[in-house]
Amino acid sequence: MSTLVVKVSGEKVKTWWDKRLTEIFCDICIKEILKGNRPGTHFIKDGWLKIMTNFEKQIGKAYSQRQLKNMWDALKKEWKA
């Protein structure tokens, strides 16, 4: 399980990522990469919008782009290590 801290409206909010959420997030990101929404090293705006929308549909809770980007960065850092 992973924890990320994000500032929302000036307050820090912890987001808990369990294995299920991480797998859902990764699957959605892979689909967007295959659709061409990550032409280089970053997702395009439309790609992030689709990731946010699909993630909310699957888990029933909205996460901000910043929360999802922080998770992306944390997973990428862990993968590099």
Side-chain angles (χ1 to χ4, degrees):
M1 188 176 330
S2 176
T3 306
L4 294 176
V5 178
V6 179
K7 280 191 176 183
V8 177
S9 300
E11 294 183 27
K12 289 184 180 181
V13 178
K14 286 187 179 181
T15 303
W16 296 94
W17 289 80
D18 60 14
K19 183 179 177 183
R20 182 181 140 277
L21 289 180
T22 303
E23 288 176 356
I24 291 169
F25 177 69
C26 288
D27 288 342
I28 292 170
C29 289
I30 290 168
K31 288 176 186 173
E32 291 306 314
I33 290 168
L34 294 175
K35 289 179 185 176
N37 288 324
R38 186 175 174 253
T41 59
H42 298 84
F43 285 103
I44 59 176
K45 287 182 182 183
D46 188 49
W48 276 118
L49 182 61
K50 288 179 181 178
I51 290 169
M52 289 168 47
T53 304
N54 290 329
F55 195 69
E56 182 178 357
K57 282 181 188 176
Q58 288 194 31
I59 68 164
K61 182 180 176 188
Y63 281 69
S64 70
Q65 179 181 343
R66 186 169 180 184
Q67 288 172 307
L68 297 176
K69 174 76 166 75
N70 285 346
M71 184 57 179
W72 175 265
D73 292 341
L75 289 170
K76 187 174 177 182
K77 184 178 179 181
E78 188 176 318
W79 177 78
K80 283 184 176 183

